[in-house]
Amino acid sequence: MGEQGSEGGGEPAKPAKAAKRATVKKASEKGVAASKKTPAGTAAPGSAGKPAKPDKPAKPVKSAKPAKPAKEESRTALVRRARRINRILAETYPYAHPELDYDNPFQLLVATVLSAQTTDLRVNQTTPALFAKYPTPEDLAAANPEEVEEILRPCGFFRAKTKSVMGLSKALVEEFGGEVPGRLEDLVKLPGVGRKTAFVVLGNAFGRPGITVDTHFQRLVRRWKWTDATDPDKIEAAVGALFPKSDWTMLSHHVIWHGRRICHARKPACGACPVAPLCPAYGEGETDPEKAKKLLKYEKGGFPGQRLRPPQAYLDAGGRPAPPLGAG
């Protein structure tokens, strides 16, 4: 009797108990489903005694707005900024001058040719012996090449430079009566003389305006965004169009002096630069004022200049002459 009642002959299950079993079953099924959705390495839902909150859908990541391109500088604004920079440089270097020692157009021409691939200082230390022995084009044209080479050895590339200065001296004697011509088209025909050298001579020996596009000039005008040209002739034309012709020679001095003293190729002293507020390249160099002061060269840094015989205005401004060859 007892076995029969236990298998099917007993009382039917109460409704409350059946409902409770159904609820437990559903909760178990939800737990299994939730555990399958739980990412690896995270706590299972309800592990802290609280029901897990459903994950909120991730918000779409907003892409950063593209930077607005810098407003292109108008031609008028460029001219005004370029001329303002030149005015500031003129106030900074009121004593700017050619940094080659010379007494006449012939000496300036030879010294400028020798200055290629070396410093004006080294040329100034070398030319006193050269001009003492060969003071005129006639003397240098008739010189012994080996003796000239020995004098010019400190300038570097002394064989090629000997050939150039002797060749131009011979051309001056044969074609111009031993005088340096005052025209661009004549100067550039001389051996070793290009437009840069010609403009140095024309501007400083004859008072005829010209722009000297050396390595310093090229570097600075590109930093200042006066031009993006790389060819010297194109740079000359582009910069010349920004200034009156009467400014060209002194503009060249101002820019070159600034490049040698403050706006260096590798470590420009931005923190000591008088044109920093107008310079698009500000920050390429040292911006801390105290650290920048330590980068200044020549008279700006309290050191000797490049000329053994500088103009009095330079000396009055605190500049010091360069030492002769072999001194110190």
Side-chain angles (χ1 to χ4, degrees), residues 100-116 118 120 123-124 126-131 134-141 148 151-152 155 161-162 164-170 172 180 187 190-193 197-198 200-201 205:
L100 291 167
D101 284 324
Y102 68 97
D103 292 323
N104 54 57
F106 172 64
Q107 290 186 1
L108 178 58
L109 176 60
V110 170
T112 306
V113 170
L114 295 178
S115 68
T118 191
D120 287 357
V123 174
N124 292 335
T126 305
T127 51
L130 180 71
F131 295 142
Y134 311 108
T136 67
E138 290 83 0
D139 295 325
L140 191 52
V148 176
I151 295 175
L152 299 184
C155 287
K161 291 181 180 180
T162 294
S164 292
V165 298
M166 291 187 66
L168 71 84
S169 296
K170 184 177 180 181
L172 290 177
V180 176
L187 285 169
L190 299 173
V193 178
T197 297
V200 170
V201 175

Side-chain angles (χ1 to χ4, degrees), residues 152-260:
L152 299 184
R153 186 179 293 271
C155 287
F157 302 97
F158 58 92
R159 291 189 178 89
K161 291 181 180 180
T162 294
K163 185 176 180 181
S164 292
V165 298
M166 291 187 66
L168 71 84
S169 296
K170 184 177 180 181
L172 290 177
V173 172
E174 294 178 351
E175 300 177 26
F176 300 100
E179 299 291 332
V180 176
R183 299 196 312 164
L184 175 65
E185 54 267 38
D186 292 330
L187 285 169
V188 295
K189 293 178 182 178
L190 299 173
V193 178
R195 290 178 67 88
K196 182 187 81 170
T197 297
F199 282 133
V200 170
V201 175
L202 290 173
N204 298 287
F206 293 98
R208 298 178 182 175
I211 294 178
T212 304
V213 184
D214 71 350
T215 56
H216 300 288
F217 195 94
Q218 291 185 47
R219 179 177 73 255
L220 268 62
V221 299
R222 286 174 59 82
R223 279 181 175 169
W224 293 332
K225 304 297 183 184
W226 289 2
T227 178
D228 59 2
T230 56
D231 178 75
D233 291 349
K234 292 182 178 179
I235 292 175
E236 176 194 325
V239 175
L242 301 176
F243 296 89
K245 193 172 182 179
S246 58
D247 290 351
W248 288 357
T249 298
M250 288 309 300
L251 168 70
S252 300
H253 290 323
H254 296 154
V255 175
I256 293 171
W257 274 59
H258 192 59
R260 286 173 172 168

Side-chain angles (χ1 to χ4, degrees), residues 35-46:
S35 65
K36 290 181 180 180
K37 294 181 180 180
T38 301
T42 61

Side-chain angles (χ1 to χ4, degrees), residues 23-107:
T23 301
V24 170
K25 184 178 180 181
K26 289 181 180 180
S28 176
E29 290 174 352
K30 288 183 179 181
V32 172
S35 65
K36 290 181 180 180
K37 294 181 180 180
T38 301
T42 61
S47 60
K50 296 181 180 180
K53 294 182 179 179
D55 293 335
K56 293 182 179 180
K59 292 183 179 180
V61 179
K62 294 182 179 180
S63 59
K65 293 183 179 179
K68 294 182 179 180
K71 187 177 180 181
E72 186 175 352
E73 188 174 34
S74 69
R75 178 70 180 179
T76 300
L78 171 60
V79 171
R80 288 176 177 172
R81 182 169 62 85
R83 295 185 182 184
R84 187 178 174 193
I85 287 176
N86 186 41
R87 287 195 297 272
I88 293 173
L89 294 182
E91 295 172 357
T92 306
Y93 311 106
Y95 43 77
H97 58 267
E99 295 195 85
L100 291 167
D101 284 324
Y102 68 97
D103 292 323
N104 54 57
F106 172 64
Q107 290 186 1

